[in-house]
Amino acid sequence: MKNNVLFYLYRTSYSFLGEGEWKITLDVFRDMGIGFAFALVAILFLLKLQSSSSALALIIMSAIPLTIIGIMPGFWLLNLILYYLTPLQ
């Protein structure tokens, strides 16, 4: 009896595949990227209509990547500061 139980225990294998979660994550980020691109094109279109100048619209739109570059170090610094301010658990 003991040998039969050990035989079945050794033959049993468990595996975890996170393929479903990974697919959902990729789908969400793809959709967010498409939405972000659509929003940028819509903003550019509205700026071009309002200012009647493509150059001015592009100059105004150039602030978007610059703010993203400026925000990331701030997030990093804030996270670092909050890490040191949290009490030890």
Side-chain angles (χ1 to χ4, degrees):
M1 178 72 176
K2 185 177 179 182
N3 290 337
N4 288 339
V5 171
L6 291 177
F7 175 74
Y8 287 115
L9 284 176
Y10 287 130
R11 286 192 54 161
T12 305
S13 64
Y14 298 99
S15 65
F16 173 75
L17 300 174
E19 293 172 353
E21 292 294 326
W22 186 247
K23 182 175 180 344
I24 291 171
T25 302
L26 288 177
D27 290 343
V28 166
F29 276 99
R30 183 201 60 204
D31 293 344
M32 285 179 16
I34 291 170
F36 184 65
F38 178 75
L40 288 177
V41 169
I43 291 170
L44 181 65
F45 179 71
L46 290 173
L47 285 172
K48 186 173 175 162
L49 282 177
Q50 187 176 12
S51 65
S52 301
S53 172
S54 297
L56 183 60
L58 288 174
I59 291 171
I60 294 171
M61 290 288 289
S62 69
I64 293 172
L66 294 176
T67 56
I68 292 173
I69 292 169
I71 287 172
M72 291 306 160
F75 282 156
W76 175 78
L77 182 65
L78 184 64
N79 190 18
L80 189 64
I81 290 171
L82 289 178
Y83 175 74
Y84 288 118
L85 292 178
T86 55
L88 297 174
Q89 295 180 2

